[in-house]
Amino acid sequence: MAKHFLYSLLFACLMAGRCVAADSSISSEASSVADYEQQVREVAKRTAAEAKAKREQERLERAKTASNTTNVESYRVFKYKKDGATAFSDSAPYKTKYEVVVYNSCYACSIVSNVDWYKTRLHLTEFSDTIAVAAQAYKVDAGFIRAIIHAESAFNPLARSRKGAMGLMQLMPGTAKDMGVFDTTNPEQNIRGGVKYLAGLLQTFNGNEALAAAAYNAGAGAVTRHGGIPPYEETKTYVKRVKILAERYKNQKQLAAN
């Protein structure tokens, strides 16, 4: 009888031990589930935050694109023929065939331009008196002046870049003010101010037209810092094209003199 009691007690203890072990196992599994659920919640929260940030970035990029498109549209110029001469207007001419010209940057600045700079038509007669007077007043070669105007605006007095450069010689507002230009769309004021600025650059760089052209595009500070033409693709391209145009304009002047 006592032996049976002992066996019963041992069995009960063993069963109690098993119950404790089972309880411990269940507790461990519950803890693992809780940890896993916490990890899932954290991953979900992080994913949602990343998705929200991505949507916001996409929204900002769309807004920027729309803004750039609006800016480009505001710089449209209408090119047409009037009495046999090329004319420009900021509004579409009435009952006249025209071409829409959009300016994002200077005419010769695009590194992907398909213009043949050795053959493109030169502007030999436009604003002749104003260019001649400015060339004489500031001692700058008229052919070089025409090359800069051609490279900057293709002789469009209404040209305006996305950065805010305006007129024939694409003067920035600050530069225009410093050069005494009050109306950048006025060809006489724009040319005189642009040539005055160009003369200062030529003086700074000892008459070197390539460096003056580089400074006209990238700023005198950039040329000084780099000890020559800055290593910017746009500026290097611009300088090459200005040189081609200047040589062609000067050659035309020499031919006319002969």
Side-chain angles (χ1 to χ4, degrees):
M1 186 71 173
K3 188 175 180 181
H4 178 72
F5 174 77
L6 288 175
Y7 279 126
S8 297
L9 182 62
L10 178 61
F11 179 77
C13 289
L14 289 174
M15 288 301 296
R18 287 180 183 178
C19 289
V20 171
D23 288 343
S24 176
S25 175
I26 292 171
S27 176
S28 176
E29 290 176 1
S31 177
S32 297
V33 169
D35 290 342
Y36 175 76
E37 290 178 346
Q38 179 63 27
Q39 290 177 355
V40 169
R41 284 193 295 269
E42 289 177 354
V43 170
K45 185 177 180 180
R46 185 168 63 250
T47 301
E50 291 173 349
K52 182 178 179 181
K54 183 178 180 180
R55 288 196 301 271
E56 178 63 14
Q57 181 62 33
E58 290 174 347
R59 185 189 69 78
L60 292 174
E61 290 176 354
R62 286 196 300 270
K64 182 178 179 180
T65 301
S67 175
N68 288 342
T69 301
T70 301
N71 288 339
V72 170
E73 288 298 318
S74 67
Y75 301 150
R76 290 190 309 168
V77 172
F78 299 88
K79 179 181 179 182
Y80 61 100
K81 291 289 184 178
K82 182 178 180 179
D83 299 327
T86 300
F88 297 93
S89 174
D90 56 1
S91 59
Y94 181 64
K95 290 186 178 181
T96 303
K97 290 183 179 181
Y98 59 83
E99 174 186 351
V100 178
V101 182
V102 177
Y103 285 85
N104 296 328
S105 59
C106 78
Y107 183 63
C109 289
S110 174
I111 60 176
V112 295
S113 171
N114 57 7
V115 174
D116 186 340
W117 300 95
Y118 290 97
K119 295 181 180 179
T120 188
R121 183 180 74 84
L122 298 179
H123 298 265
L124 300 171
T125 59
E126 291 89 337
F127 312 109
S128 295
D129 292 340
T130 302
I131 291 174
V133 170
Q136 185 174 3
Y138 296 108
K139 307 298 186 241
V140 180
D141 186 272
F144 186 49
I145 295 172
R146 284 193 176 275
I148 292 291
I149 295 175
H150 194 148
E152 290 290 332
S153 67
F155 281 80
N156 177 1
L158 298 179
R160 181 178 178 181
S161 76
R162 185 180 300 171
K163 295 180 180 179
M166 296 174 282
L168 289 166
M169 299 195 75
Q170 289 291 274
L171 300 178
M172 293 295 289
T175 302
K177 183 178 179 181
D178 292 341
M179 297 300 111
V181 177
F182 301 102
D183 181 3
T184 53
T185 63
N186 180 291
E188 185 174 354
Q189 287 189 36
N190 194 288
I191 290 173
R192 188 172 183 86
V195 174
K196 181 179 180 180
Y197 178 59
L198 192 59
L201 295 176
L202 285 166
Q203 184 176 8
T204 298
F205 297 106
N206 301 312
N208 188 311
E209 291 185 352
L211 294 182
Y216 201 94
N217 175 263
V223 176
T224 301
R225 284 196 306 273
H226 291 282
I229 298 172
Y232 313 144
E233 287 303 317
E234 177 185 305
T235 301
K236 292 189 294 183
T237 299
Y238 176 86
V239 171
K240 289 177 182 178
R241 291 169 179 170
V242 167
K243 182 179 179 181
I244 293 170
L245 291 169
E247 289 176 349
R248 292 183 64 201
Y249 277 113
K250 291 177 183 181
N251 186 50
Q252 290 292 329
K253 186 174 65 175
Q254 292 171 354
L255 291 175
N258 294 333

